[in-house]
Amino acid sequence: LSRDRVLQAAVALADRDGIDGLTMRRLADELGAEAMSLYYHVNKKEDVLDGLVEVVAAEVNQEAGRLLPADPAGGWQAAVRQRILAGRRVFLRHPWSPPLFETRASASPQVMGYLDALVGLMRDGGLSHDLIHHSLHVLGSRALGFSQELFEPGEAAAPPSPEMAEAIAAHYPHLAGMMAAVVHDTPDTSLGWCDDQFEFEFSLDLILDGLERLRRVEAAGVPGAATGEPGAATGRAPGP
Amino acid sequence: LSRDRVLQAAVALADRDGIDGLTMRRLADELGAEAMSLYYHVNKKEDVLDGLVEVVAAEVNQEAGRLLPADPAGGWQAAVRQRILAGRRVFLRHPWSPPLFETRASASPQVMGYLDALVGLMRDGGLSHDLIHHSLHVLGSRALGFSQELFEPGEAAAPPSPEMAEAIAAHYPHLAGMMAAVVHDTPDTSLGWCDDQFEFEFSLDLILDGLERLRRVEAAGVPGAATGEPGAATGRAPGP
DNA sequence: ACCTGAACACCGTTCAAGT
DNA sequence: ACCTGAACACCGTTCAAGT
C-alpha cells in the first residue's frame, strides 16, 4: 500500500464505476484494506482527486511524448494540433476526468509541463507571448484535449425519434430545422448525428486558423495591434 | 411551500454558500421546514438541480429578451455577440451554475429556447444549417455565456509572488516567459494578469470571425465545401 | 393534500488503539 | 511505521404516521 498504488486503484475504479463510484471506502475495499488505512498515504479525498489529475495528465504527457515531429509543412498548427489530439485520446480513455481538470488543473505540475511544451510549440511558430496567452484562453480545456459539450456525446447525438422530432419542431423551429438539415445532409453519420471527433477537429482547426491569422497581422504590423482590444482582434470597428 | 419556492430558495442558498452548501436538509431549514417536506414538491435532489438550470436559463432568456436589436452594421456577429454577453452577465451572478449546465443543459427547455433563438440569429445572418451546427460545437458552453477556464479566474489570475515566479521559471521556462511578457506588456491590468471579460470577448470574437469567414466561403463556392472535412475548413491541404 | 419523525444506508474523517 | 475499529457528524432517501 502506497500513495501510488492508491492512485492507480482510484483510476481503475473511476474507469469502471465513474467518479461517483469512487469512494474512500470502496477504494480501500479494492485494495483489500480498511478505509482508514488510506489516510496514512493520503491527506483527504481532495488529495486523491488532485492525484488523479496528476496521473491522467502524466498519461497525456506520455502520449504526447511518443509523437514524431510534425510535418514542418503544416507549420506550428500541425505541431499543436497533433499534441492536442494526443491529449484527447487519453481523455477518451478516462471520460470521468474532465470535470476534475476543470477545477484542479492549476494545481498540477504535469499540466503545467504539458502547457509549457504547448507554449513552446507556439513560440517556435512565431506567435508573440501576448498572442499565446490569449490562445490559451480561447482554447481553454481544448488545449489539453477535451471540450465541454453542452449536449453530451451520445445523448443528443443519437437521432431523435420521429414523435420527439415533431415535438421539438413545434417549440424550437430553428433547432428543428438545423437538426433536420444536418441529418439529411450527412446521411453517412446518421447513426449519431454528431461525429464528436470530427467536431473536435473542426473546432480546433477553426481556432488555430484564427490564431495564425492574428500572427500574420502581428508580423505585418505594430506589435499588440492584433491583440490590443476586443474588436481590434477581428478587424471590427470599435463600438460607440 | 411549492416547487417554485423551493427552487428560488435553492438559488439563493447556492449564491450564498456555493453548490456544496446546497443540501436538502439546509435547503429545508432555509424554508423553515423539515428536510422530508421537500420531497412532496420534488422527486429527488437531481430534480432540484435540473430545476436550478431551468431557473438560471430563464434568467438568461430574460436578460437576452431585454436587448435592443443589434446594430445592423455589425452583421449577425453583433447580434450573436450581444446575446451571448447578456448570458454571461447572468453566469457572473451565479458562478456555481456552469458545472450544472455542463451536465444538464440538454434536458432544459429554457436552454433549448435560448439556443433556438441563437440559431435563428445565425440563420438570419446567412449561415447554413450545417455551419450553424458546427458553430454550436465550436462555441460549446460559450454559446450560453460562460467558458470553462483551465486556470480559474482569480487564482492564477493573481500575479505570482517573486519567489513563486522564480520556481516556475526553473521548471516551466516557456510559461514563465509568457507570464513575464504579459505582465510587462499590460501593466494596467497587473493587479490580476488576466482580464476575464477581455479574454472572453477576445475568444468569442475570434470564433465568430472564423465562422463568418466560413460563411463567405460557403456563399462563394460549393455548399459543404467549407464544412465537408477537417482541414478543408481552414484551407489546409488534407493529410496523407 | 400536505407535512413530519424515526430510521436506513451510505458518506468523509478523527482519534485512540493495536501490531 | 503502518494499519484498524469504533465513533462522529454529516448526507440522500424511504416509509409509516400524523394533521
Side-chain angles (χ1 to χ4, degrees):
Chain A
L1 208 55
S2 70
R3 189 183 145 88
D4 254 34
R5 275 203 62 214
V6 169
L7 293 179
Q8 292 305 329
V11 169
L13 185 55
D15 284 345
R16 206 187 62 204
D17 296 345
I19 199 67
D20 286 339
L22 177 61
T23 256
M24 294 302 276
R25 289 166 143 101
R26 290 174 61 178
L27 179 53
D29 260 14
E30 214 72 16
L31 288 159
E34 293 308 303
M36 308 317 136
S37 310
L38 303 179
Y39 287 88
Y40 190 83
H41 305 278
V42 135
N43 278 329
K44 328 181 70 195
K45 190 182 184 184
E46 290 285 300
D47 193 24
V48 175
L49 299 179
D50 288 344
L52 288 182
V53 166
E54 212 55 7
V55 170
V56 173
E59 213 174 304
V60 167
N61 281 324
Q62 190 187 326
E63 185 91 12
R66 262 202 290 274
L67 293 170
L68 302 174
D71 181 359
W76 66 271
Q77 302 171 72
V80 165
R81 187 182 143 93
Q82 86 165 348
R83 186 174 182 81
I84 288 177
L85 292 181
R88 177 171 156 85
R89 289 195 291 275
V90 174
F91 288 105
L92 289 176
R93 293 203 291 267
H94 305 299
W96 45 268
S97 68
L100 255 42
F101 276 81
E102 290 176 348
T103 39
R104 316 180 123 76
S106 41
S108 161
Q110 290 282 348
V111 170
M112 302 275 276
Y114 173 89
L115 292 176
D116 193 65
L118 194 71
V119 169
L121 292 178
M122 290 179 166
R123 197 67 188 144
D124 291 344
L127 279 71
S128 74
H129 276 132
D130 199 34
L131 181 53
I132 291 171
H133 173 230
H134 293 312
S135 79
L136 292 184
H137 281 279
V138 185
L139 287 168
S141 67
R142 239 187 289 256
L144 226 32
F146 66 90
S147 71
Q148 184 52 61
E149 299 282 339
L150 234 32
F151 292 72
E152 74 252 78
E155 176 178 345
S161 65
E163 55 273 19
M164 183 57 139
E166 199 78 20
I168 292 176
H171 293 94
Y172 314 107
H174 296 112
L175 279 181
M178 183 190 77
M179 287 168 56
V182 170
V183 171
H184 179 263
D185 285 3
T186 54
D188 41 331
T189 66
S190 65
L191 43 142
W193 68 285
C194 302
D195 176 336
D196 296 315
Q197 181 69 27
F198 178 93
E199 298 298 343
F200 187 91
E201 295 188 24
F202 180 93
S203 301
L204 179 57
D205 286 339
L206 185 141
I207 291 169
L208 296 182
D209 196 46
L211 293 170
E212 164 63 8
R213 196 163 276 109
L214 292 180
R215 185 196 63 76
R216 285 201 292 260
V217 170
E218 270 192 345
V222 194
T227 55
E229 53 182 81
T234 58
R236 291 187 308 92
Chain B
L1 208 55
S2 70
R3 190 182 144 89
D4 255 34
R5 275 202 62 212
V6 169
L7 293 179
Q8 292 305 329
V11 169
L13 185 55
D15 284 344
R16 204 187 61 204
D17 296 345
I19 200 66
D20 285 339
L22 177 60
T23 256
M24 295 302 275
R25 288 166 143 98
R26 290 174 61 180
L27 179 53
D29 261 13
E30 215 72 15
L31 289 160
E34 293 309 302
M36 307 317 137
S37 309
L38 302 180
Y39 286 87
Y40 190 82
H41 304 279
V42 135
N43 278 328
K44 325 180 72 195
K45 190 182 185 185
E46 290 285 300
D47 193 24
V48 174
L49 299 179
D50 288 344
L52 287 182
V53 166
E54 213 53 7
V55 170
V56 173
E59 212 174 306
V60 167
N61 281 324
Q62 191 188 325
E63 185 91 12
R66 261 202 290 275
L67 294 170
L68 302 174
D71 182 358
W76 66 272
Q77 303 170 71
V80 165
R81 187 181 143 94
Q82 87 166 346
R83 186 174 182 82
I84 289 176
L85 292 180
R88 177 170 155 87
R89 288 195 292 275
V90 174
F91 288 104
L92 289 176
R93 294 203 291 267
H94 306 299
W96 45 268
S97 67
L100 254 41
F101 276 80
E102 290 176 349
T103 39
R104 316 180 122 77
S106 41
S108 161
Q110 291 283 347
V111 170
M112 301 276 278
Y114 173 89
L115 292 176
D116 193 65
L118 194 71
V119 169
L121 293 177
M122 291 180 165
R123 197 66 189 144
D124 290 345
L127 279 71
S128 74
H129 277 132
D130 199 35
L131 182 53
I132 292 171
H133 173 230
H134 293 312
S135 79
L136 292 184
H137 281 279
V138 185
L139 287 168
S141 67
R142 240 188 287 257
L144 227 32
F146 66 90
S147 72
Q148 185 50 63
E149 299 282 338
L150 235 30
F151 292 73
E152 73 252 78
E155 175 177 345
S161 66
E163 56 272 19
M164 183 57 138
E166 200 78 22
I168 292 177
H171 293 94
Y172 314 107
H174 295 113
L175 279 181
M178 183 190 77
M179 287 168 55
V182 170
V183 171
H184 180 263
D185 284 3
T186 53
D188 42 329
T189 66
S190 65
L191 43 141
W193 67 285
C194 303
D195 176 336
D196 296 315
Q197 182 67 28
F198 178 94
E199 299 298 343
F200 188 90
E201 295 189 24
F202 180 93
S203 301
L204 179 57
D205 286 339
L206 184 140
I207 290 169
L208 296 182
D209 197 47
L211 293 169
E212 165 62 8
R213 196 164 275 109
L214 292 180
R215 185 195 65 75
R216 285 201 291 261
V217 171
E218 268 191 346
V222 195
T227 55
E229 54 181 80
T234 58
R236 292 187 307 93

